[in-house]
Amino acid sequence: MPSRKFLIAAGVLVVAAGATAVTAHSFRGQHDGWRGEHEDRGWRSRGWGGWRDSVKKSEFDERTRTSFARIDTNNDKVIDADEAKKLITERMSDRGHRWRERKQQRRLARLLKRFDLNSDKKIERAEFDKQIEFFFKRMDLDGDGKITDADLPPMMRGRNVLKGTGKPRGFKRMRGPGRFLARLHGADTDGNGEISRAEANAAAAKRFNVFDRTKDGVIEQADFAALKQEIVDYRVKRFFHRHEAGADNKLTMDQYTAVRDRRFARWDRNGDSVLSSEEMPHRMKRRMHHRGWRDHWRRHG
């Protein structure tokens, strides 16, 4: 019986080893085929989205036509303001812009934490001014109604930081009212080296108006939504200006192609109608690199 069990166990081990060898061979074959596909069949030169070493002018023109058709959603051979706004909005929804939007939300959360006294998710002008007065008193150590060099930490004195000519190093590392002092950098409008209560209030009001995009005297979520819309409108305007569209914000295929042709000619320094890896702008290589990996994982799972 022991010898029989031993023979059975040995047989199981032999079968397992054979299966492992077959699997390893199969994986090696797949890997070699994957590598051969990319090397022998020219994966580096496959399509615009591949991990390319060069781009021909004909391929660049094809990409131009494809890009125009993708933006021209109603197929009327003209890109209007609504289509350009849709394009900008889609671009702003990618990972990088979502990160920036989350950064804005964190900024709003910090503002609410410092200035929202009644916890209603809004910062009214009275709340803002009250907190500014509180921070000013905290920084005014001698209570003379103004912030001078004597109120600053020892290493910040004598550097004209209140006048705005010195570098405010160390301000951001300070806590509480020290960060308020960083916002007062350059608030000394009369140049006497001191920040009075009126100058502090003027600097604070200027910053409040920056965040109050709706101009209703309240900082809230709607202001950041309005800021996002302002960014979209600005980028739409810049899009038409960059492609030399008319005052009616109508971009034709000829205008779109002419601008991209001049761009290709500017990049193609040797004039051989081929963009080599050295001639490509860094942003173009980075975009093609990411697109190549995305297409690769779509094909190979």
Side-chain angles (χ1 to χ4, degrees):
M1 292 299 292
S3 60
R4 184 178 179 180
K5 291 182 179 180
F6 175 78
L7 291 175
I8 294 175
V12 172
L13 291 176
V14 170
V15 173
T20 303
V22 171
T23 303
H25 176 75
S26 176
F27 174 77
R28 188 181 301 111
Q30 292 178 1
H31 180 71
D32 292 342
W34 173 79
R35 183 171 54 192
E37 177 186 357
H38 295 293
E39 293 179 356
D40 300 337
R41 299 182 184 179
W43 179 64
R44 286 178 175 269
S45 61
R46 179 187 299 172
W48 175 271
W51 201 0
R52 304 286 304 279
D53 291 332
S54 62
V55 175
K56 297 179 181 179
K57 181 63 169 62
S58 58
E59 297 168 339
F60 189 84
D61 293 340
E62 178 64 25
R63 178 61 182 174
T64 297
R65 290 188 292 271
T66 303
S67 176
F68 186 90
R70 181 173 58 87
I71 303 173
D72 183 21
T73 55
N74 57 6
N75 297 322
D76 61 349
K77 307 302 180 182
V78 175
I79 298 177
D80 54 21
D82 293 336
E83 292 169 335
K85 184 176 296 186
K86 181 180 179 181
L87 171 67
I88 299 301
T89 304
E90 291 177 353
R91 289 181 177 178
M92 292 182 65
S93 64
D94 62 7
R95 176 180 295 182
H97 288 285
R98 286 200 304 269
W99 176 83
R100 296 186 184 95
E101 188 171 354
R102 288 194 297 268
K103 185 178 180 180
Q104 294 292 338
Q105 294 301 321
R106 290 195 297 268
R107 178 176 293 179
L108 175 61
R110 289 195 298 267
L111 287 173
L112 293 174
K113 184 178 180 180
R114 296 174 187 171
F115 297 99
D116 185 16
L117 301 181
N118 55 7
S119 302
D120 60 349
K121 303 299 182 180
K122 298 180 181 179
I123 302 175
E124 299 178 356
R125 187 58 182 269
E127 294 176 311
F128 190 82
D129 293 341
K130 185 176 180 179
Q131 284 297 91
I132 292 299
E133 182 180 1
F134 170 75
F135 290 145
F136 188 90
K137 290 181 178 179
R138 290 281 299 271
M139 290 304 304
D140 185 14
L141 301 182
D142 52 11
D144 59 352
K146 54 188 176 181
I147 299 176
T148 62
D149 262 7
D151 299 315
L152 301 180
M155 294 301 294
M156 293 185 183
R157 299 171 188 169
R159 291 163 48 183
N160 295 326
V161 294
L162 297 179
K163 290 184 178 181
T165 57
K167 295 181 179 179
R169 294 177 181 174
F171 280 12
K172 293 184 178 180
R173 291 192 294 269
M174 299 177 66
R175 295 180 178 272
R179 294 184 179 179
F180 164 71
L181 181 60
R183 303 302 181 187
L184 293 182
H185 180 64
D188 181 23
T189 55
D190 54 9
N192 61 353
E194 301 173 351
I195 298 180
S196 63
R197 182 73 63 83
E199 290 174 330
N201 292 338
K206 184 178 179 180
R207 185 163 181 81
F208 184 91
N209 294 332
V210 168
F211 288 102
D212 184 17
R213 310 305 298 186
T214 58
K215 306 305 178 184
D216 58 352
V218 177
I219 299 177
E220 53 185 343
Q221 182 65 41
D223 294 296
F224 286 83
L227 175 61
K228 182 179 180 180
Q229 186 59 44
E230 289 180 24
I231 295 175
V232 171
D233 295 339
Y234 167 75
R235 292 186 177 181
V236 168
K237 183 178 180 180
R238 191 177 64 180
F239 172 81
F240 286 113
H241 177 74
R242 184 171 66 248
H243 291 88
E244 300 178 359
D248 55 351
N249 289 338
K250 299 287 186 179
L251 181 63
T252 63
M253 182 64 176
D254 293 337
Q255 293 172 323
Y256 189 76
T257 303
V259 172
R260 290 179 62 90
D261 286 345
R262 287 197 297 269
R263 187 181 305 170
F264 186 93
R266 185 174 69 252
W267 293 340
D268 185 18
R269 292 187 292 270
N270 57 8
D272 60 350
S273 298
V274 176
L275 288 182
S276 62
S277 178
E278 292 76 12
E279 293 174 331
M280 289 183 190
H282 178 69
R283 64 181 183 276
M284 182 178 178
K285 289 190 290 186
R286 183 176 65 249
R287 185 163 55 246
M288 293 172 65
H289 170 78
H290 293 319
R291 190 178 293 130
W293 274 112
R294 181 191 63 192
D295 295 342
H296 160 68
W297 291 117
R298 285 178 178 175
R299 288 193 297 267
H300 299 278

